[in-house]
Every structure is written in structure tokens, then in C-alpha cells.
Amino acid sequence: MINIPKRGFETIEYESRLENIQRLMFESAMDVILLTTQVDIEYYTGFKTQFFQSPTRPWFVLIPSKGKPRAIIPVIGESGMRETWIDDIKTWMSPNPKDDGISLLTDSIKLFAKNYKCMGVSLGQESTIRMPQSDYEELKNNIPSIEIKDANLILREVRYTKSAAEVDKIRHVCQITSKGFIDLEGMLKVGLSERHNCQLFKQYLLALGVDDSPYLVSGSGRGGYGSIIMGPTDKLIEEGDIFIIDTGSVFDSYYCDFDRNYAFGSATDMAKKAYQTIFKATEKGFTECQVGNTTSDVFNAMNTVLQDGGAIGSTVGRLGHGLGLQLTEWPSNTANDNTILKPGVVLTLEPGMMYLPGKEMVHEENIVITEDGPEWLSIRANEELPIIR
Amino acid sequence: MINIPKRGFETIEYESRLENIQRLMFESAMDVILLTTQVDIEYYTGFKTQFFQSPTRPWFVLIPSKGKPRAIIPVIGESGMRETWIDDIKTWMSPNPKDDGISLLTDSIKLFAKNYKCMGVSLGQESTIRMPQSDYEELKNNIPSIEIKDANLILREVRYTKSAAEVDKIRHVCQITSKGFIDLEGMLKVGLSERHNCQLFKQYLLALGVDDSPYLVSGSGRGGYGSIIMGPTDKLIEEGDIFIIDTGSVFDSYYCDFDRNYAFGSATDMAKKAYQTIFKATEKGFTECQVGNTTSDVFNAMNTVLQDGGAIGSTVGRLGHGLGLQLTEWPSNTANDNTILKPGVVLTLEPGMMYLPGKEMVHEENIVITEDGPEWLSIRANEELPIIR
């Protein structure tokens, strides 16, 4: 029986996150950071709700240079926020087209941004501001003497290394999902559609104990598939098809993100060889996942194998990425990324290659970096392409 | 057996959407609209992918004043976009921290924005721009002679009235989910946690034929619940609890959004009366859902019942909203919204009230407005609070 990690975090974990970001804020001469996204808000407050799926209401959290975060949120979230470690909570009745929290937010920023006259906001790559652009512009107009700097670099830096408790949650969802994939080999059926096979898998993962599988994508085709982001469709699986399922399942807000490939009836030598190549690339990438190496070292190790194995191209633009509260997080395994690996960093290794025009083979595993080297979080895929007969 | 609607749409449906927005663009003197979100892009192109869950790559679609949309997207999406009705597709290899599509986007905007020198972007309420703010600012700097206007009002206007094919999908997911809720009454168990009960329900809905239930939230408590957006938690359901499940399930990208309440063992007279009140409010709201009436008429009809029924407050800020490709869409049923109802408008009726301090009762149904009056899309809830013994 799998040991289920405790849900939530001790308060000390939030205190540590706050301490980390406040240290970086001090170095960047930032008085306050404005958070607007579900992930950033959950990370610093523990406020966990699916309600961000409704685009109607903005949610704000301010991290001051000293002291605990202040939540500025719609009344509908007040009782939930009161159950977190946050005690400084301002609310307004939202939706309010005339003033959806902007005046409350303005007052608080003015209060906090006194030392350096500087506010951090996520501006850079992979970030968005989750509030109407017109409200953001009004806010900036309300605080003309306060400089706005990009907080994206320091926010992602804090989230980059995972605590033991975070790694436990990711490992747990990786292990459950791995078990699902292993059993899936006996469940997949020729003659069922991609969609039908994926729905069976999603139901099975839920039964195994994931909270959800919000990302569950598949592709299939004779001798190989042409996309790894579009399905599942109603296409029926036939003998001779290769089928990929890629899943981001979740336990207590933390993701796994990996895939498995299956051939039906038979597979071409080209496909078998491509599978061996990407498997070997994962092995090589794994060995490079050492403290002090970089994401580009990991990329180069995998990419060499892919080139030697006859890759004629790729559509993905990278060979893996960070993983945690999001399906994909900073950094990226690319030639120029050069992010230094540290203990607690969780990555996907995702070598992929086009081996024939329009035919891709992509493999993915999840790992964590420790002082003693890398650890597989997912249960390693088959060394050879599984053939379902 | 439920008749399953055809997936996707005929090309004529996309042509009609395009014609509608281009007519409004002409009236607003807009040359081009920039789309960045999953929902807007899917609505105008039919490009359907779960991949927007990865925040890494931006995606762009431009709607010119004449002719078909242009997609400017990462290479990873090219093969998928080629299967839609869009034929004008520019790609770049993303992620690219130096230029994540911005130069391609700049060139295309300059090409399209010649008549009025004006580009529409979603700036207003309930909208966000899904690209890094620094990229958006760079883009604006690249096109200093092109005015930027809010396209939010005209984009939401086009999506406001649903086609028959859209309504069929929403009705389908409403019907499946209603059946799930009816059967749930026999499945719910005292002694199981909120989470466990919700997971059983999610698995059951998948088995019944929803694509997913991305939003599945619950609350419970002795004599009533205090929040409708936070759970499910590990709290065990006990005799005397009232339990709410609210779900946004999806079929072919279209949502339902409604809830059901259950009491365990017994219910207080206060709770029973609150349930009768919100049920009656839904009846009154429904009768007001006539072409030519407004969302505020619907609000007022429901609110009067709630006030007469002893409401001591509310945390939600509205009594229902639009529904379609998003769990919640414009408009809102509020005192001041005043949006005129038209045939094809899909709404939730969501009366909610606090009947004791910290105890809420919320009920929700989904309806569509036709020339002949409103139609329930969800199967009507029990007239009395169901008591599970």
C-alpha cells in the first residue's frame, strides 16, 4: 500500500517561503510584490480553491518587505482565507465593475511601498497578470511615484527548489500515475477510440488516488503520431498504430507530467529504434542531473543521443522543464538556458524527435535532484517499446 | 439513451462568428483584434487543446477586419492548427526567451492595422491578456502609431448568444450531470469525507459521459455550510450535516455549472426553509428569463424572494451568470447589470443566502432563453431539501 503524504503544509513551510522571497526582495530593493495568479497566491498563503477557473473575480496578495502577506480578495473567499496562516485580509463584494478591488489595492500598496518606492510584479517569461489590463493600468496610474519592477525572476527562484514535503507530494502522484500506466498496458484496446482509452485511464487514475488528471492528452497513428498536444480525438486505435498518452495528474495541487508510448500489434523498425533512442537519451540526461551542472548540460547530453539516433527535427523547443504546482515550470532544458541545478529541483526529462516526416516519438520521466545525485520520481518506462497484442 | 451531440462545429459556424465580430469591429473602427486566451482562440479557430495548461508558451490569433483569422503560434501547435478551418498560420520555435513570437506578431499587426490604425485587445472586466506583461509592453512600443482599444465588449457580445449547436452541447452536459446528481443521492455516505464523496461523483460523471469535471467543489457542516468555493476537504460527513456539491462539467469544451444540496439524517427547520426559499427564487428568476427583460429583472425577482425568506446576507455578489466555453461568463445577474436577454442566451440562476451567521444555502440551475420563453437545461432539483437517511 502506498503511503499517502499529509495534505497541506506546516506553517513553518510558509514562513520559510516568505523568508526566502523577502531576502530576495531586499536584494532587489523591492518594498512589496503583487501576486495575482492562483499558483502564486496558493504558494505563499496556502489558499487552495478551484474557483480561479471562474475568470470573473480578481484576487490579490501583497507580500511586504517585512511581516506576513496581506490578502485583498472578494468576500466569497474570506472564510477560506481565514483558514490559512494569513491574518491580514481585506475584502470587497465582487464582481464590481466600478471598482473590483483596485482602490483597496492602491491604498495597501501606498502603505507598503515606502522605503524604495518600488513594487514587484510578474512581468517576464512564462508569467501573466491575472487581472483585467485596464485595471492594471488604472492601478499604475494611481501610484505614479512607485516604480514597477519585474518580480518574475525572484518568484521563480524561490519556487525552483522544492522542500522535502513538496517532493513527497510530487513523488506520490508520480508513483500512482506510474502504476496506472503499467496497468494501462493490459487495459488498452484496439477498436476503442483515443478518447475512450483516455477516459478509462482517467477513471482508473482517480480510483488509484490522484485528485485529478487535468492534463490527459493522446496522439496515435500508423507507425507513429504527429502531435503530442492535441488529442484525445474520436480516432479509433488500429493494429499498427503507435499511441502516446501524456498526463499531468495532481495530488494536493502538485503535478506529475510524463507520458508512455504503446504500439498495437506490431511496430516498424524505425519506430522501435526511435523509442530506443529517446529511452537512451533519458538515461544520459538523468546522469547529467547533478548538483552544479546546468539545464543546458542535461539538454546537450540528451540532444547528442537524439542527433546520433537520426532525429530529423523536433517541434517542442526543449527537452524537459521544471515541475511542481504547475504542469510546466521554469526552467527549460535548452541549449542556452544554463540554469544551475540544485538539491530539491524537480525536472522532467523529455527527449523527443521526429524520426520520419510527421512522425514523432517523445518520452518523459520526472526526477528530483539531490546532493547524492538524481532520483527517478516516476517508475522508469519499458526499455523497449511495449507492443500490445 | 441520451443522444450525444456531434463534436466540433461545421465551418459555417466559425464563418458566422467571424462575420459577427467583423461587423462589430467595423462599427468600432477596429482594424484587427489580438486574441491570446485559450477560450477566445478556440472560439474563432476551433483549435482545441489542453496544452494551454502549460504557461510556458504564448499563443496569438489576429482577427483582421476582412478575411480569415491569422494564427501566430509555437511550432508545437502547427499540425493541430492545420486541422482547423484556419489556413493562415505563422509559427516560431517556442520557448524563445529573446523573442517569443513578438516580432512575428508586430509585423502582422502592422500589416493589418492600416485603415483606422487601431487594434482591439481584451482590456476590461473578466478578461486577462495571456502573455507576459513585458512582451505586451514591448509589442505596444513596436506599434506606437497604432491605437489600442478595448475589444472586450464586442468579443463578449458575440459569445453572449449561443448557436443551436452550442446549446446542444451545454444541454447535453447539463443532462448527464443532472442524472449524476440524481443517482448521487443513493451513493452519498455518512462517514466518508467530502473528498471521497466528490471523487466517487467525479468518477461516476466520467462513466456517464462527461469529458471532465474540472470544477467539482463541496462544502459541508452541521446545519449548513459556510463556503461554496473551498472544498472538498478531508472532513467526514456526519449525521446532521448539510452537504453541497457544485460542479462545472464539460462536454466538447462546453460547461454546465450547477449544484445540489443534501442533508444527512435530518435537517433543521431553518435549513429546510432556506432551501424552500432559494428553490422558489429560482422559480421566480426563471419566469423573468424572457427576451427583452434584463439580467437585473432576473436578479430582482430572485432577490425579492431571498429578502422575504429571511436572507441575512450573501458572499457571492451576484445571483447567476453567463455560461458556455467558460464556467462563468459575462453577464452577471446583479442589481445594476441591466444586460438585455436575447434568444440563445445561456444563464445560471444561482440564488444564495446566508440564513444564519456562517451558514449559506445556494442553489443553481442552468437555462437557455428562447423566443418562446426560458428552457431548463439542467433537470430541476428537488422541491424540498433531500434528506439522506
Side-chain angles (χ1 to χ4, degrees):
Chain A
M1 194 58 207
I2 295 171
N3 202 9
I4 301 172
K6 188 161 173 277
R7 289 181 183 265
F9 294 102
E10 303 297 330
T11 301
I12 195 173
E13 179 114 6
Y14 294 106
E15 287 168 344
S16 156
R17 295 172 182 183
L18 182 63
E19 193 183 307
N20 288 337
I21 192 68
Q22 285 177 333
R23 192 181 56 247
L24 295 172
M25 287 169 71
F26 179 75
E27 290 170 11
S28 314
M30 252 177 228
D31 294 303
V32 58
I33 289 180
L34 168 63
L35 307 178
T36 63
T37 66
Q38 173 171 12
V39 164
D40 283 337
I41 289 174
E42 180 169 341
Y43 186 78
Y44 285 101
T45 67
F47 183 72
K48 190 191 290 290
T49 173
Q50 302 169 42
F51 195 63
F52 280 81
Q53 289 176 48
S54 166
T56 299
R57 298 172 187 79
W59 299 74
F60 308 112
V61 166
L62 292 176
I63 303 181
S65 56
K66 281 184 185 164
K68 286 167 67 173
R70 167 176 291 186
I72 302 169
I73 59 171
V75 173
I76 197 171
E78 182 173 4
S79 65
M81 189 61 85
R82 292 238 171 262
E83 295 189 7
T84 71
W85 80 300
I86 303 301
D87 38 36
D88 183 358
I89 303 169
K90 310 280 177 201
T91 63
W92 81 99
M93 188 59 81
S94 179
N96 178 355
K98 299 237 169 77
D99 179 5
D100 241 348
I102 300 308
S103 60
L104 276 178
L105 190 56
T106 302
D107 291 346
S108 292
I109 292 167
K110 284 182 178 166
L111 182 73
F112 288 141
K114 286 201 169 145
N115 287 337
Y116 308 110
K117 294 263 171 202
C118 174
M119 174 169 76
V121 179
S122 279
L123 305 175
Q125 213 201 355
E126 304 192 53
S127 78
T128 55
I129 299 181
R130 190 192 178 278
M131 64 190 287
Q133 182 69 20
S134 55
D135 281 359
Y136 179 63
E137 286 171 11
E138 183 185 332
L139 177 69
K140 285 202 293 185
N141 289 336
N142 290 351
I143 50 171
S145 63
I146 295 169
E147 183 194 3
I148 291 179
K149 278 191 199 165
D150 188 8
N152 192 44
L153 296 179
I154 61 174
L155 287 168
R156 73 187 193 184
E157 180 70 26
V158 173
R159 276 178 49 207
Y160 177 44
T161 50
K162 271 70 180 174
S163 70
E166 288 182 289
V167 173
D168 281 349
K169 292 175 205 281
I170 302 173
R171 185 186 293 109
H172 181 63
V173 73
C174 283
Q175 292 288 309
I176 293 179
T177 306
S178 295
K179 173 159 174 43
F181 271 125
I182 291 166
D183 296 346
L184 183 63
E185 210 175 312
M187 294 161 63
L188 288 172
K189 284 201 178 64
V190 163
L192 293 187
S193 67
E194 289 177 4
R195 191 187 317 279
H196 195 145
N197 277 306
C198 285
Q199 288 299 86
L200 291 175
F201 188 46
K202 181 173 282 208
Q203 289 174 59
Y204 188 60
L205 289 174
L206 287 168
L208 287 178
V210 305
D211 290 346
D212 203 359
S213 286
Y215 188 77
L216 207 159
V217 161
S218 75
S220 69
R222 177 159 293 265
Y225 44 84
S227 171
I228 57 157
I229 67 162
M230 294 307 298
T233 70
D234 287 327
K235 178 187 166 301
L236 302 181
I237 303 292
E238 298 172 38
E239 294 283 335
D241 277 359
I242 294 178
F243 181 56
I244 185 172
I245 293 192
D246 190 5
T247 181
S249 295
V250 169
F251 174 78
D252 203 24
S253 301
Y254 283 81
Y255 276 88
C256 69
D257 176 20
F258 59 102
D259 63 36
R260 290 298 179 256
N261 293 278
Y262 307 90
F264 287 85
S266 63
T268 62
D269 288 345
M270 288 286 282
K272 286 182 193 167
K273 180 168 175 254
Y275 185 93
Q276 285 161 356
T277 302
I278 55 172
F279 186 90
K280 189 177 159 199
T282 324
E283 294 284 311
K284 293 288 179 188
F286 181 75
T287 344
E288 287 298 309
C289 287
Q290 307 291 340
V291 173
N293 281 2
T294 69
T295 48
S296 301
D297 295 329
V298 177
F299 171 87
N300 289 329
M302 290 194 277
N303 194 41
T304 303
V305 179
L306 299 179
Q307 298 310 316
D308 292 350
I312 59 169
S314 161
T315 64
V316 181
R318 60 181 180 181
L319 301 178
H321 50 78
L323 178 69
L325 281 171
Q326 285 170 302
L327 177 70
T328 77
E329 293 187 354
W330 178 79
S332 293
N333 300 332
T334 66
N336 307 312
D337 188 78
N338 292 312
T339 304
I340 294 170
L341 303 179
K342 299 179 182 180
V345 168
V346 174
L347 289 179
T348 76
L349 301 176
E350 190 178 10
M353 61 190 267
M354 211 176 279
Y355 58 97
L356 282 171
K359 301 290 178 194
E360 293 189 68
M361 186 71 78
V362 179
H363 177 42
E364 193 169 18
E365 300 280 11
N366 299 162
I367 65 116
V368 60
I369 287 156
T370 78
E371 291 286 3
D372 304 324
E375 174 199 333
W376 299 107
L377 294 176
S378 46
I379 298 173
R380 201 74 177 92
N382 283 355
E383 210 166 322
E384 304 286 333
L385 177 59
I387 299 181
I388 297 175
R389 296 179 202 272
Chain B
M1 193 57 204
I2 294 172
N3 201 11
I4 301 172
K6 189 160 170 278
R7 288 183 185 266
F9 293 102
E10 304 295 331
T11 301
I12 196 173
E13 179 116 4
Y14 295 107
E15 287 168 343
S16 155
R17 294 172 182 182
L18 182 62
E19 193 183 307
N20 288 337
I21 192 67
Q22 285 177 333
R23 190 181 57 246
L24 295 172
M25 288 168 72
F26 178 76
E27 290 170 10
S28 313
M30 251 177 228
D31 293 304
V32 59
I33 289 179
L34 168 63
L35 306 178
T36 64
T37 65
Q38 175 172 11
V39 164
D40 282 337
I41 290 174
E42 180 170 341
Y43 186 78
Y44 285 101
T45 68
F47 184 71
K48 189 191 289 289
T49 174
Q50 301 170 41
F51 195 62
F52 280 81
Q53 289 176 48
S54 165
T56 299
R57 299 171 187 81
W59 300 73
F60 308 112
V61 166
L62 292 176
I63 302 180
S65 57
K66 281 183 184 164
K68 287 166 66 173
R70 167 176 290 184
I72 301 170
I73 58 171
V75 173
I76 198 171
E78 182 174 5
S79 65
M81 189 61 85
R82 293 239 172 263
E83 295 189 6
T84 70
W85 79 300
I86 303 301
D87 38 36
D88 184 358
I89 303 170
K90 311 280 179 203
T91 64
W92 81 99
M93 187 60 80
S94 178
N96 178 355
K98 299 235 168 76
D99 179 4
D100 242 347
I102 300 307
S103 58
L104 275 179
L105 190 55
T106 302
D107 292 346
S108 292
I109 291 167
K110 284 181 179 167
L111 182 72
F112 288 141
K114 285 200 168 148
N115 287 338
Y116 308 110
K117 294 263 172 200
C118 174
M119 175 169 77
V121 179
S122 280
L123 304 176
Q125 211 202 357
E126 303 192 57
S127 78
T128 56
I129 298 182
R130 189 191 179 276
M131 64 190 285
Q133 184 71 19
S134 55
D135 281 359
Y136 179 64
E137 285 170 12
E138 184 185 334
L139 177 69
K140 285 202 293 185
N141 290 337
N142 290 353
I143 49 170
S145 62
I146 295 169
E147 182 194 3
I148 291 179
K149 278 191 199 164
D150 187 8
N152 193 44
L153 296 180
I154 61 175
L155 286 168
R156 74 187 194 183
E157 179 70 28
V158 172
R159 276 178 50 208
Y160 177 44
T161 50
K162 272 68 179 175
S163 71
E166 289 182 288
V167 173
D168 280 350
K169 292 175 204 285
I170 301 172
R171 185 186 293 109
H172 181 63
V173 73
C174 283
Q175 291 288 310
I176 293 178
T177 305
S178 295
K179 172 161 174 42
F181 272 125
I182 291 166
D183 296 347
L184 183 63
E185 208 174 313
M187 294 160 63
L188 288 172
K189 286 203 177 64
V190 163
L192 294 187
S193 67
E194 289 177 3
R195 191 187 315 281
H196 195 147
N197 277 308
C198 285
Q199 288 299 85
L200 292 176
F201 187 46
K202 181 174 284 209
Q203 289 174 59
Y204 188 61
L205 288 175
L206 286 168
L208 287 179
V210 306
D211 290 347
D212 203 359
S213 286
Y215 188 77
L216 208 158
V217 161
S218 76
S220 70
R222 176 159 293 267
Y225 44 86
S227 169
I228 58 157
I229 68 162
M230 294 307 298
T233 71
D234 286 328
K235 177 188 168 302
L236 302 181
I237 303 292
E238 298 171 40
E239 294 282 335
D241 276 358
I242 294 179
F243 181 55
I244 185 172
I245 293 192
D246 189 4
T247 180
S249 295
V250 169
F251 174 78
D252 203 24
S253 302
Y254 282 81
Y255 276 88
C256 68
D257 177 19
F258 60 100
D259 63 34
R260 291 294 179 261
N261 293 278
Y262 307 90
F264 288 84
S266 62
T268 61
D269 288 343
M270 288 286 283
K272 286 183 194 167
K273 179 166 175 255
Y275 186 92
Q276 285 162 355
T277 302
I278 55 171
F279 186 90
K280 188 175 160 202
T282 324
E283 294 284 313
K284 292 288 179 188
F286 183 75
T287 342
E288 286 299 307
C289 286
Q290 307 291 340
V291 173
N293 280 2
T294 70
T295 47
S296 300
D297 294 329
V298 177
F299 171 87
N300 288 329
M302 290 194 279
N303 194 43
T304 303
V305 178
L306 300 178
Q307 298 312 315
D308 292 350
I312 59 168
S314 162
T315 64
V316 180
R318 60 182 179 179
L319 300 179
H321 49 78
L323 177 69
L325 281 171
Q326 285 169 302
L327 178 69
T328 76
E329 294 187 354
W330 178 80
S332 293
N333 300 332
T334 66
N336 308 311
D337 187 79
N338 291 313
T339 304
I340 294 171
L341 303 179
K342 298 178 183 180
V345 167
V346 174
L347 289 179
T348 76
L349 300 177
E350 190 177 10
M353 61 190 267
M354 210 176 279
Y355 58 96
L356 282 171
K359 301 291 179 195
E360 294 189 68
M361 185 71 77
V362 179
H363 176 42
E364 192 169 18
E365 301 280 9
N366 298 162
I367 64 116
V368 59
I369 286 155
T370 77
E371 291 286 5
D372 304 324
E375 174 198 333
W376 299 105
L377 294 175
S378 46
I379 298 173
R380 202 76 178 90
N382 283 354
E383 209 166 322
E384 304 286 333
L385 177 60
I387 299 180
I388 297 176
R389 293 177 203 275

